[in-house]
């Protein structure tokens, strides 16, 4: 490697609610010479960051544009409703969307659930972010329906949540640009899929030697050992028909 070449590195983008710590730890154990840097991006920005070269891969929310991005779905999150701790919803373990029909359901601009029709009654304005919506829930303005990881991310002591059984769900995927499927991307794919450290799946194999290359290599090894390249038969060895050279025995 010349002095002008940069050492290899890997840049991973991730969206709020996703926790990449376990995979990063395994990466650092397996590839200690390849530093991994993390960048948090919003769910809406993730695809653009990958396509613009701002990251080598990303832990993003589905859907993604499959015409330009590859994606491996990893898991689908439970959807919950965030409410004050003294809310009537807390009397049960789970609710249906219909149970929220009388509630003001906040719909932040960074919503990741992709509602076709938002349940309940709309608020006068849409909060700019999920964090802002959580503040409004704490103030008693309404309730908020989000993936479980976002409810945990924005946890407050005065709020709790319950599962919504029939709400849209949010899937999380590992994604990267179609044209940038590098060996390091494949290494990270192996980590999130639980492959062992010795697995070579997905790596491009070394090109196989041609017959001429194998013959040439054998010739060089034979010459170094003082033997003919073709490995010819020694004198006294059996002939093609199985007979032994030499005088016939007398009876």
């Amino acid at each position: 490697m010349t002095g002008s070449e940069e050492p290899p590195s890997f840049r991973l983008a991730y969206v709020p609610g996703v926790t990449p710590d376990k995979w990063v730890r395994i990466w650092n154990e397996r590839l200690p010479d390849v530093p991994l840097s993390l960048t948090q991006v919003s769910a809406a920005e993730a695809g653009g960051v990958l396509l613009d070269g701002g990251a080598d891969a990303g832990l993003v929310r589905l859907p993604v544009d499959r015409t330009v991005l590859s994606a491996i779905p990893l898991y689908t999150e439970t959807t919950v409703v965030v409410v004050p701790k003294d809310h009537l919803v807390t009397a049960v373990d789970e609710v249906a969307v219909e149970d929220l029909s009388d509630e003001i359901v906040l719909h932040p601009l960074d919503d990741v659930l992709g509602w076709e029709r938002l349940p309940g009654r709309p608020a006068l304005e849409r909060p700019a972010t999920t964090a802002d919506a959580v503040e409004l829930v704490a103030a008693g303005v309404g309730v908020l329906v989000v993936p479980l990881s976002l409810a945990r991310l924005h946890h407050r002591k005065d709020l709790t949540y319950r599962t919504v059984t029939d709400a849209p769900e949010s899937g999380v995927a590992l994604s990267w640009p179609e044209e940038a499927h590098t060996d390091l991307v494949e290494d990270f794919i192996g980590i999130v899929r639980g492959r062992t450290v010795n697995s070579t799946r997905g790596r491009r194999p070394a090109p196989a030697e041609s017959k001429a290359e194998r013959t040439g290599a054998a010739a060089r090894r034979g010459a170094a050992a003082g033997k003919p390249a073709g490995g010819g038969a020694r004198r006294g060895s059996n002939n093609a028909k199985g007979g032994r050279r030499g005088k016939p025995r007398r009876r």
Side-chain angles (χ1 to χ4, degrees), residues 36 48 50 57 69 83 87 90 123 135 146-147 154 161-162 166 175 211 226 238:
L36 186 154
L50 293 175
L69 293 172
V83 296
H87 195 281
T90 60
E135 294 294 327
V146 290
H154 298 289
Y161 54 81
R162 292 293 186 270
D166 55 350
S175 183
K211 182 177 180 180
N238 294 344

Side-chain angles (χ1 to χ4, degrees), residues 33-85:
D33 297 329
V34 183
L36 186 154
S37 60
L38 290 171
T39 303
Q40 187 177 83
V41 297
S42 70
E45 296 172 334
V49 169
L50 293 175
L51 293 174
D52 292 342
D56 299 298
L59 297 167
V60 305
R61 292 194 179 274
L62 294 172
V64 300
D65 185 352
R66 293 298 188 103
T67 63
V68 289
L69 293 172
S70 296
I72 298 174
L74 301 177
Y75 56 88
T76 300
E77 289 199 62
T78 298
T79 302
V80 301
V81 57
V82 179
V83 296
K85 281 193 171 181

Side-chain angles (χ1 to χ4, degrees), residues 144-157:
L144 175 65
V145 183
V146 290
L148 176 58
S149 66
L150 292 181
R152 289 173 172 170
L153 177 65
H154 298 289
H155 171 71
R156 290 175 51 120
K157 291 182 178 180

Side-chain angles (χ1 to χ4, degrees), residues 95-102 105 115 117-120 145 163-168:
V95 297
V97 168
E98 185 180 358
D99 297 325
L100 305 176
S101 58
D102 293 331
V105 179
W115 294 93
R117 181 182 177 185
L118 195 71
V145 183
T163 299
V164 184
T165 57
D166 55 350

Side-chain angles (χ1 to χ4, degrees), residues 16 42-44 61 107-113 126-133 144 146 150 154:
S42 70
R61 292 194 179 274
H107 191 202
L109 295 175
D110 61 356
D111 172 68
V112 297
L113 292 177
R126 293 184 64 181
T129 66
T130 296
D132 292 335
L144 175 65
V146 290
L150 292 181
H154 298 289

